[in-house]
Amino acid sequence: MTPDDLVLTPTGLRFQGRRFPVTIGRNGITTAKREGDGATPAGQHRIVGLLYRPDRIARTAVPRWAVPIGPQDLWCDAPDHTDYNHMVRAPFGDSHEKLRRADPLYDLVLITDWNWPWAVPGKGSAIFLHLQRRPGYPTAGCVAFRRADLFWVVNRLRPGARLIVRPH
């Protein structure tokens, strides 16, 4: 491990000497991730991207490597589709998540390399680090932060850093 790694612990996420309260998947941590299981996958996951809502967050508030989320941006979660676990654009007829949501969950999103870029059908998609719905409210498998904490992290994080999730 390096100081640039994000390490999930039973008491929060450790990064650069600080510990942040986070929430994880409603079904805890798993070593056998499946699409829709509500669990956070164990392992070492590289951070491969950063997305933000330019209509809600100023460009100057995020690092240069951040990519704006447009109105047509989606994430494919259809296991049998060739774009499974990849960003796609509307119109898109198969199962997907909207990245430009009405709520603030995806206003700021770190993308991990879980089951990416060569996705195994059904092994899970869209494992992100994003904003919390509210403290203690579980995710569908992602890691969720308080707004101020996620901004602190993304402005100190380097692309290629790792999220380390150990099974409990």
Side-chain angles (χ1 to χ4, degrees), residues 5-67:
D5 289 332
L6 300 135
V7 181
L8 186 64
T9 74
T11 59
L13 188 132
R14 238 182 22 241
F15 176 63
Q16 291 190 355
R18 292 182 65 179
R19 188 175 313 272
F20 302 95
V22 295
T23 54
I24 62 171
R26 65 183 175 277
N27 291 320
I29 296 171
T30 185
T31 57
K33 178 74 182 152
R34 304 301 307 156
E35 186 69 39
D37 66 3
T40 302
Q44 295 184 19
H45 317 300
R46 281 184 315 114
I47 303 299
V48 295
L50 172 60
L51 305 174
Y52 76 101
R53 285 283 300 266
D55 58 322
R56 295 181 178 172
I57 297 172
R59 179 72 185 108
T60 56
V62 293
R64 288 180 182 222
W65 55 283
V67 174

Side-chain angles (χ1 to χ4, degrees), residues 45-123:
H45 317 300
R46 281 184 315 114
I47 303 299
V48 295
L50 172 60
L51 305 174
Y52 76 101
R53 285 283 300 266
D55 58 322
R56 295 181 178 172
I57 297 172
R59 179 72 185 108
T60 56
V62 293
R64 288 180 182 222
W65 55 283
V67 174
I69 297 170
Q72 309 299 21
D73 291 335
L74 312 170
W75 198 269
C76 176
D77 59 9
D80 295 330
H81 197 279
T82 56
D83 288 321
Y84 178 54
N85 201 27
H86 285 80
M87 187 185 291
V88 294
R89 294 187 52 83
F92 186 77
D94 286 290
S95 182
H96 62 271
E97 278 192 77
K98 290 182 179 180
L99 292 175
R100 197 171 180 120
R101 298 170 57 115
D103 64 30
L105 260 62
Y106 290 175
D107 284 4
L108 189 61
V109 177
L110 286 164
I111 302 169
T112 72
D113 71 347
W114 170 257
N115 199 25
W116 181 94
W118 300 282
V120 175
K123 194 169 177 175

